[in-house]
Amino acid sequence: RFECPNCGTLMSIQQTTNRFKSPSRCSCNWKGAFQLLSKEIVDSCRIILENNKGLSLNNKRLNSLLSGRILDKDNVINFSPGKEVEVIGILKEVSIVKFNSISTNFEIAFEVLGLKSLNPDIDVNNFTEEEIENIKALSNKIEKEGLDFLTNSYAPEIHGHKYEKLALIIQQAQPKNNPKKETRDKSNILFLGDPGVAKSKMANFITKINSEAKSGSCTGSSHVGLTASLDKDDYGWVVKPGLAVLSSDTCILSELNLMADEEKPKMQQAINDMKIEINKASIHQTLPVTAGFVFDANPVSGKFADNIPLLKQINLFPPIKDRIDLIFCIRDKPDSKEDREVAEYILNREDRIK
């Protein structure tokens, strides 16, 4: 809090940068030095919010400031990596300080005043009577008819692949992994097959029915994009979680066979230990990985050969391959009957989807 020596007006200035800021002018037109009366230290936290709707002013990522009641235990947990929140606050301009001087450019910062969790944990005690009856009816139908009616509604534009779809449906019904437990709750699945067999389409359909699932590619992504990293900016060191952490329920990765060698140990730790450790610049932090993984990959030569054993056509990192629970080998063999059924299914699928 500052006092104007000319008229005695009191002013408060919030410090949002790493350079101390004092008033530049008073309402009485005083432009000289202002007397510092007191300082109030408050808890604050700087985070980066990513706008999934594509409406952010700062290239989808926005520097944000948390303070006050937002840092209460019940609220701050909603800002864990991978959580989706709806926030309300004030958009501000913040000066950029470089080499002890203020730049003529400004960056946009968002001061969070309130939030709403978009993916709260499900509490079975809060189910309505109607929801309970619907769950019981679905359970009875599954006991009588099996899961065929569910596999038909999963990725309905794709013909066949009954057991592959069934595995994905069961995975989505499994609870998230708990890093505090020694065993995983969510299974890991790999689709290994020829090009054009819809393995990526089946996997990516999950993102349409599960808001906590994210998809990406192992090609062209560094370990930063897939796991996590520690980078330095104007404010200091910042932990940046990757896709494996941000996907709080299911992480879908294509082209597993093309993953760079330097990324494989971190991905192995994410799959096996359900966590990613950051140890750099005197910062030691562990990021939990609660998601199950769905991978797809191609054989070594791009397409399976009949005259070579299958195992010799697979080029995957053994520690990762050994931690995959279900591996589906999907081959595209010439079959006139099957090809006719696929063609008719594709021609009629628009009417069927409607």
Side-chain angles (χ1 to χ4, degrees):
R1 191 167 62 169
F2 298 87
E3 181 182 22
C4 174
N6 185 44
C7 66
T9 300
L10 300 180
M11 291 171 281
S12 297
I13 302 294
Q14 184 177 5
Q15 306 298 320
T16 56
T17 66
N18 56 358
R19 181 173 179 175
F20 186 74
K21 186 177 180 181
S22 61
S24 59
R25 186 171 184 172
C26 180
S27 57
C28 68
N29 292 327
W30 175 266
K31 298 182 181 180
F34 290 81
Q35 184 179 359
L36 177 63
L37 296 181
S38 62
K39 297 179 182 179
E40 182 181 358
I41 300 176
V42 297
D43 292 332
S44 65
C45 176
R46 191 177 70 90
I47 64 171
I48 296 177
L49 294 178
E50 183 176 87
N51 193 323
N52 290 332
K53 304 300 182 181
L55 302 176
S56 174
L57 300 177
N58 195 17
N59 194 25
K60 291 192 70 175
R61 291 196 171 190
L62 196 62
N63 287 320
S64 304
L65 179 67
L66 309 180
S67 61
R69 64 178 183 83
I70 299 297
L71 290 177
D72 291 346
K73 181 180 179 181
D74 295 335
N75 289 326
V76 75
I77 194 173
N78 292 304
F79 291 99
S80 301
K83 295 285 188 178
E84 290 191 1
V85 293
E86 184 178 281
V87 295
I88 184 172
I90 303 173
L91 203 61
K92 296 182 176 182
E93 289 184 349
V94 179
S95 302
I96 300 176
V97 180
K98 292 184 178 180
F99 306 108
N100 295 325
S101 62
I102 300 178
S103 172
T104 56
N105 297 324
F106 291 85
E107 67 176 12
I108 300 298
F110 188 74
E111 183 180 359
V112 179
L113 301 179
L115 77 150
K116 174 185 177 182
S117 177
L118 296 182
N119 46 16
D121 294 332
I122 297 176
D123 187 357
V124 296
N125 296 320
N126 293 332
F127 284 169
T128 64
E129 291 295 332
E130 182 181 359
E131 290 173 334
I132 294 175
E133 291 300 322
N134 290 336
I135 293 173
K136 290 181 178 179
L138 178 61
S139 177
N140 293 332
K141 188 173 183 179
I142 291 175
E143 289 182 0
K144 294 179 181 179
E145 304 179 15
L147 294 172
D148 286 347
F149 71 98
L150 289 179
T151 57
N152 293 334
S153 62
Y154 183 92
E157 69 275 13
I158 299 174
H159 176 265
H161 300 298
K162 172 183 175 180
Y163 295 105
E164 291 85 346
K165 292 181 179 180
L166 180 60
L168 294 172
I169 292 172
I170 294 175
Q171 185 204 44
Q172 294 309 295
Q174 294 171 334
K176 299 178 185 178
N177 289 326
N178 184 354
K180 296 181 180 179
K181 296 172 59 177
E182 294 183 358
T183 57
R184 290 182 286 108
D185 293 315
K186 213 159 185 72
S187 57
N188 298 320
I189 302 172
L190 169 63
F191 295 140
L192 183 65
D194 295 325
V197 293
K199 52 186 183 292
S200 296
K201 284 282 188 180
M202 282 191 294
N204 286 318
F205 186 81
I206 296 174
T207 60
K208 297 181 180 180
I209 60 176
N210 188 346
S211 62
E212 297 183 83
K214 296 183 182 296
S215 62
S217 174
C218 295
T219 59
S221 297
S222 64
H223 67 282
V224 177
L226 294 180
T227 54
S229 71
L230 188 65
D231 296 334
K232 191 174 184 180
D233 62 9
D234 295 335
Y235 296 92
W237 292 98
V238 179
V239 176
K240 294 185 177 181
L243 195 64
V245 179
L246 296 177
S247 307
S248 57
D249 186 86
T250 308
C251 182
I252 306 162
L253 294 174
S254 61
E255 307 291 349
L256 178 62
N257 54 301
L258 300 180
M259 179 181 291
D261 292 338
E262 62 270 15
E263 301 169 9
K264 295 176 182 177
K266 280 285 187 182
M267 183 56 65
Q268 174 193 346
Q269 184 186 36
I271 297 174
N272 183 63
D273 301 333
M274 295 174 286
K275 64 181 180 181
I276 296 174
E277 295 179 344
I278 299 294
N279 297 290
K280 183 179 178 181
S282 300
I283 293 179
H284 307 281
Q285 187 167 351
T286 300
L287 299 177
V289 177
T290 59
F293 290 84
V294 179
F295 302 101
D296 72 66
N298 296 322
V300 175
S301 60
K303 185 176 177 65
F304 282 115
D306 293 331
N307 58 342
I308 303 176
L310 287 177
L311 292 178
K312 293 185 178 181
Q313 302 184 64
I314 301 174
N315 182 25
L316 298 177
F317 188 50
I320 293 180
K321 182 184 65 176
D322 294 342
R323 287 161 178 80
I324 295 175
D325 304 291
L326 293 171
I327 299 180
F328 292 92
C329 184
I330 308 174
R331 302 192 63 180
D332 184 17
K333 290 186 175 182
D335 186 327
S336 58
K337 181 181 178 181
E338 177 70 17
D339 293 342
R340 180 179 294 274
E341 290 179 357
V342 172
E344 292 177 351
Y345 191 90
I346 293 174
L347 292 174
N348 299 326
R349 67 182 177 185
E350 294 298 331
D351 295 335
R352 184 169 50 256
I353 293 175
K354 291 179 181 178

